[in-house]
Amino acid sequence: MSHKTFILGLETSCDDTSAAVVLNGRTVLSNVVSSQDNFHLRFGGVVPEIASRRHLEIINPVIDEALSKAGITFRDLDGIAVSYGPGLAGSLLIGVSTAKALSFALELPLAAVNHLEGHIYANFLTGATISFPLLCLVVSGGHTSLLYMKGHGQIEILGRTRDDAAGEVFDKIARALGLGFPGGPVIDKLAQQGEAAAFSFPRALMGEEGKLDFSFSGVKTAVLNCIRRETEKGGQVRPADLAAAFQEAVVEALVEKSLMAIRQKREAGQFLLAGGVAANGELRRKFRQKLESKNIELIYPPVELCTDNGAMIASAGYYYLRQGRRASWDLNAVPNLELERV
Ligand code: KG4
Ligand code: ZN
């Protein structure tokens, strides 16, 4: 690959249509994200059929915008990267088909990026020097995983959620409180005016030293029951207090398990946060506070690179291609793709 390597990254795994151009895996030249929130809002969650149709309608204009914002044309590109799973089948297919068509027509190498792994690479776009081995907590709407990364493509899964993902629970609680979708950003904001000590919710699996799995279904049920009970009593519950207490329970579980991972993997010099929930203000604050005195550097992406975006896929794709991890044109979308264990 030439000295200046331009990768086009496509991301359509859920309800955001995104295309981005990244230079040498590290510099975002453009990152266009077209959110579908307005289309799904009244259903209180993502409707797969609507998501897929909408991706199809706008993927081409989104790519055109990404190229023009980057000041380049199709001819300047050195590779195409696409997230091919996990995600919604119909949504993934739009990105995968588009990427394959571009790769074929432009005779460019194709990188098939695992969406979860893609989230990690948002940290490569922060300007920070990333060095292995490192630890990473990926917290999104679909995943909550603690990972140990020894190098590109060398990922060990230390722990994962046994039930709901953290983001999913934020969305469900927001829905029960009538706060709209997606729930994470609304709860984050509301919680700032709340009193976390007003309620006490369970921190699941906290006692199991050494066990790095998460569980959020317990806290979810406790919060939902609490909302029901308080509403039956005549609606005295302050949503801000509830949001703060719920958020604290989730954040504490994430921080505690991360600290356990740090104790287990002392060789790791950096701790990365990734995924939509990593945009959470309280989560960032707690991690900063708890890791300050530890011998490990905390890195997290800016808010707009925490949630789904094409730039992180382009960055991951750059490193995939540098390692010769090229996908062939028979690539298919894999809705329940797992992270490969090494
Ligand atoms: O990474 P992402 O965009 O999509 C998946 O791969 O799932 O994550 C979306 C999730 C949603 O559940 C959303 O509610 C949550 O991230 N989220 C947040 C915040 N911003 C987004 N959760 C808590 N606080 C936030 N500020
Ligand atoms: Zn995601």
Side-chain angles (χ1 to χ4, degrees), residues 11 13 115 119 140-141 275-276 306-308 312:
E11 163 56 47
S13 66
H115 178 80
H119 271 297
S140 71
C306 285
T307 44
D308 291 349
M312 67 189 197

Side-chain angles (χ1 to χ4, degrees), residues 97-126:
S97 311
T98 308
K100 286 201 294 190
L102 286 174
S103 159
F104 183 76
L106 301 167
E107 295 182 40
L108 289 174
L110 178 66
V113 175
N114 180 310
H115 178 80
L116 210 68
E117 207 176 330
H119 271 297
I120 304 170
Y121 282 83
N123 286 286
F124 284 75
L125 303 168
T126 59

Side-chain angles (χ1 to χ4, degrees), residues 282-297:
E282 176 62 13
L283 179 88
R284 288 161 175 254
R285 199 188 62 75
K286 265 276 161 53
F287 267 96
R288 276 200 306 271
Q289 187 196 65
K290 295 282 183 173
L291 266 53
E292 203 177 36
S293 57
K294 300 273 178 301
N295 201 13
I296 194 160
E297 184 190 3

